[in-house]
Amino acid sequence: MSLYLAPMEGITTYVYRNALEKHYGGIDKYFTPFLTASHLKGRELREVHPDNNEGLKVVPQILTNDPELFITITEQLVELGYREVNLNLGCPSGTVVSKGRGAGFLDRTEELDGFLYEIYDKLVGKTKVSSKKNEHSGLKISVKTRIGMEFESEWEDILEIYKKYPISELIIHPRLRSDFYSGRVRMAAYNHAREVLGDSFPICYNGDITSVRSYLDKSEEIGFKPAVEQGSSCDAFMIGRGVIMNPELPGNIKNYSGESTGIDNRIDRMRLKAFLKDITEGYLVEMAGEKQVVMKMKELWTYLSMGLDIDKKQLKAIHKATHLSEYKSAVQMILY
């Protein structure tokens, strides 16, 4: 069983990824926040540059509905040494969906089919619908998807499209775009994908894993047996908010032994302090000024506060900070 870190715009940057790996580990593959520009430069280039991701298994994620743009970005990533890229078909953001990208691509099945044909034909070759060989031998294209836009019935047609192509891994968040992140995940739709695609098709589960207990519950619902047992009907789990809320979660899951003590989700505050210190220092190098760094750390604390039992007044002190000294003072009150 492998654990992946989900891409979260503005949060799971290379600064965050390196600090997480150094202090906690437990992540087998890191997915970057999505790339959209035709020429990698500035922030996007820094995010994927090998020098900033040394020792990490990183997969760049691309957001587009233009096959030529996807190919252009991928070829630049190949030049940087990447051998896997990921297509975002799951983002539910209104600005993304309105342009027919992310989850907004899922109800345009003919266009989606044509898009996938072109990128796999030109970048991978030898698809089920083409015997053409390709110069990018060994390149993998994985897909992160939702199960439709508005109706669960859309999933059947989407799966029939996915079956045609050599998708290296299908990461499924079993919600509709209209669900956003609310309500229960639609586990029946996830399990149906396994039936349609077959056991040899690599799939990954994503959605609502915020604790060891929720990981165990989701594992049971999809028929996955933890490492202490034998057998599997799932290849990997992708976690986003759960890791941001508690960076110890991947290790807690990996170290689960089948005993109740393995469901402990407490956060070691001294370890967290060192983790946050490295992130803050990393952003001081990456960003133009300390006010930007403070804003970045506030965003992270929005999630961390959900995993820590802290007083609302203490959290308010962080969000009121405008200078680094004020931010550090507020964090000091929480972590000591």
Side-chain angles (χ1 to χ4, degrees):
M1 181 269 294
S2 296
L3 294 180
Y4 302 159
L5 180 66
M8 295 182 68
E9 185 68 21
I11 299 286
T12 59
T13 64
Y14 77 86
V15 172
Y16 179 90
R17 296 193 297 268
N18 279 283
L20 183 67
E21 181 70 16
K22 174 183 175 181
H23 292 280
Y24 296 98
I27 297 295
D28 299 288
K29 195 180 288 187
Y30 294 86
F31 287 73
T32 72
F34 55 71
L35 307 172
T36 60
S38 58
H39 297 288
L40 294 175
K41 59 183 179 180
R43 180 187 59 81
E44 287 197 341
L45 180 57
R46 292 194 298 274
E47 271 302 311
V48 297
H49 199 285
D51 289 350
N52 293 330
N53 295 282
E54 191 173 353
L56 305 180
K57 175 65 175 177
V58 174
V59 178
Q61 185 181 82
I62 302 171
L63 175 73
T64 184
N65 57 8
D66 179 348
E68 290 304 321
L69 178 57
F70 185 95
I71 291 166
T72 297
I73 296 173
T74 298
E75 288 178 338
Q76 293 173 73
L77 292 167
V78 168
E79 289 181 6
L80 289 173
Y82 287 97
R83 292 295 176 266
E84 180 182 350
V85 296
N86 180 259
L87 170 64
N88 182 323
L89 293 176
C91 180
S93 166
T95 54
V96 168
V97 169
S98 65
K99 297 176 182 177
R101 300 184 297 178
F105 208 172
L106 295 175
D107 64 350
R108 306 181 183 194
T109 50
E110 288 189 13
E111 292 179 40
L112 177 60
D113 197 357
F115 175 94
L116 293 176
Y117 175 87
E118 190 161 350
I119 67 169
Y120 280 102
D121 185 51
K122 291 186 177 179
L123 291 171
V124 178
K126 299 197 74 174
T127 71
K128 293 180 181 179
V129 291
S130 171
S131 60
K132 178 182 176 181
K133 293 185 179 180
N134 193 273
E135 60 183 283
H136 300 291
S137 178
L139 177 67
K140 297 179 179 180
I141 303 175
S142 57
V143 173
K144 186 175 187 295
T145 186
R146 289 198 172 218
I147 61 171
M149 276 284 286
E150 296 185 64
F151 306 103
E152 198 167 321
S153 57
E154 298 170 39
W155 188 221
E156 197 71 50
D157 291 336
I158 294 168
L159 284 173
E160 289 302 314
I161 293 173
Y162 290 156
K163 281 175 61 177
K164 298 180 183 180
Y165 302 100
I167 295 172
S168 64
E169 187 168 35
L170 186 64
I171 302 164
I172 304 171
H173 183 139
R175 280 191 172 98
L176 299 167
R177 184 269 172 176
S178 57
D179 294 331
F180 285 89
Y181 296 98
S182 63
R184 287 180 56 83
V185 288
R186 300 168 186 258
M187 299 304 296
Y190 178 90
N191 289 326
H192 182 62
R194 173 60 79 197
E195 296 172 6
V196 172
L197 299 173
D199 290 338
S200 62
F201 197 112
I203 66 172
C204 169
Y205 174 82
N206 170 230
D208 288 7
I209 296 178
T210 57
S211 64
V212 176
R213 180 73 268 164
S214 59
Y215 159 74
L216 294 173
D217 290 342
K218 294 295 184 297
S219 296
E220 184 177 355
E221 287 188 75
I222 63 179
F224 174 78
K225 298 179 180 179
V228 294
E229 301 180 42
Q230 297 294 319
S232 172
S233 62
C234 179
D235 303 289
F237 292 83
M238 175 178 275
I239 311 175
R241 290 171 296 161
V243 176
I244 315 304
M245 290 162 54
N246 181 0
E248 297 193 25
L249 179 58
N252 288 344
I253 290 174
K254 287 284 185 74
N255 295 325
Y256 175 68
S257 63
E259 300 177 1
S260 59
T261 52
I263 309 181
D264 187 358
N265 288 295
R266 287 178 298 179
I267 300 174
D268 184 307
R269 297 198 176 198
M270 291 305 293
R271 194 181 190 184
L272 180 63
K273 179 189 173 185
F275 171 62
L276 292 172
K277 180 175 181 289
D278 277 3
I279 295 177
T280 304
E281 291 178 352
Y283 282 140
L284 282 170
V285 174
E286 167 72 11
M287 296 180 167
E290 68 171 49
K291 287 187 177 181
Q292 287 182 293
V293 175
V294 172
M295 291 299 293
K296 201 74 167 173
M297 298 309 293
K298 287 180 183 180
E299 191 175 7
L300 179 56
W301 270 98
T302 299
Y303 292 93
L304 274 175
S305 63
M306 300 176 192
L308 286 167
D309 182 18
I310 60 176
D311 188 275
K312 288 184 179 180
K313 290 183 179 179
Q314 293 176 318
L315 181 61
K316 187 176 181 179
I318 288 179
H319 287 297
K320 286 179 64 178
T322 56
H323 298 285
L324 196 58
S325 59
E326 295 171 340
Y327 163 77
K328 288 182 176 180
S329 177
V331 171
Q332 180 92 349
M333 292 296 293
I334 293 173
L335 297 183
Y336 278 97

